[in-house]
Amino acid sequence: VPLHSPCGSYHAYIYVGSPPQKKTLIVDTGSHFMAFPCEPCLSCGKHTSPYFDPELSKSDATSSCSKCEWTGLSTCNGNQCQLT
């Protein structure tokens, strides 16, 4: 994956969903997690790319609470696994 350094941090461009939506990720070398904001998040702040819109993706799937695998980093909200 090519890395870009437009403003003091390294970024990677990925495509998510079907059809693909281009997202810009900050490369965090201190973590093995990758995340980007999704609609309808109201408190995710400003980002380089627009929020991922699951309504535009045929391949989007929500993980149920039984599949929350990130102990201490995820919570269950309305039977949906969410990164905290």
Side-chain angles (χ1 to χ4, degrees):
V1 173
L3 296 178
H4 307 277
S5 181
C7 57
S9 58
Y10 289 99
H11 295 82
Y13 302 111
I14 65 166
Y15 292 85
V16 182
S18 177
Q21 298 176 46
K22 183 180 178 182
K23 301 294 146 212
T24 304
L25 298 176
I26 295 173
V27 176
D28 179 3
T29 59
S31 171
H32 59 273
F33 293 106
M34 174 180 69
F36 48 86
C38 302
E39 294 287 348
C41 184
L42 300 176
S43 60
C44 293
K46 292 184 179 182
H47 293 266
T48 304
S49 301
Y51 288 10
F52 174 75
D53 189 344
E55 296 291 322
L56 300 177
S57 176
K58 295 180 212 167
S59 60
D60 177 65
T62 302
S63 294
S64 67
C65 288
S66 64
K67 302 221 179 197
C68 282
E69 298 175 2
W70 299 315
T71 304
L73 294 174
S74 58
T75 59
C76 182
N77 185 3
N79 199 33
Q80 291 184 0
C81 184
Q82 295 180 334
L83 192 62
T84 55

